[in-house]
Amino acid sequence: MGERYYFLMDLERTLRQEMPCFWLGNKHGYTYSLKEAGLFPKDLAEKIVKADYDNSTIMIDSRLVKKTRLFDLGTI
């Protein structure tokens, strides 16, 4: 079945800008473009979410995003 990968969404920035805001893959910044967003393996994504002191980061299964086309996926 393969390893699952997740996008990490920052809810604080998402709500403030009224646009989905995602973590970059290197964990050093954010992007409003899903094409630029990082994909994180499940174990790392869970660690990042758990360590978020203000609980504003959530995991979004990349398969769900692709299957439901929740966002404009472009070339993902």
Side-chain angles (χ1 to χ4, degrees):
M1 190 163 161
E3 186 171 12
R4 288 189 181 180
Y5 288 88
Y6 294 81
F7 293 103
L8 295 177
M9 180 185 281
D10 182 278
L11 293 176
E12 181 180 348
R13 286 173 177 79
T14 294
L15 295 172
R16 189 175 340 129
Q17 296 298 319
E18 297 181 359
M19 295 178 62
C21 181
F22 302 95
W23 285 48
L24 292 171
N26 61 11
K27 300 187 297 181
H28 290 104
Y30 303 91
T31 182
Y32 292 94
S33 169
L34 190 62
K35 294 180 206 174
E36 297 174 0
L39 281 172
F40 298 86
K42 184 177 182 178
D43 60 335
L44 179 56
E46 287 174 339
K47 287 179 187 177
I48 292 169
V49 169
K50 187 175 181 178
D52 184 13
Y53 67 91
D54 61 358
N55 296 316
S56 67
T57 302
I58 62 169
M59 296 168 48
I60 302 174
D61 190 322
S62 63
R63 295 175 309 160
L64 176 65
V65 172
K66 291 176 184 179
K67 182 177 180 180
T68 61
R69 307 208 42 88
L70 292 172
F71 302 100
D72 177 18
L73 298 178
T75 59
I76 291 180

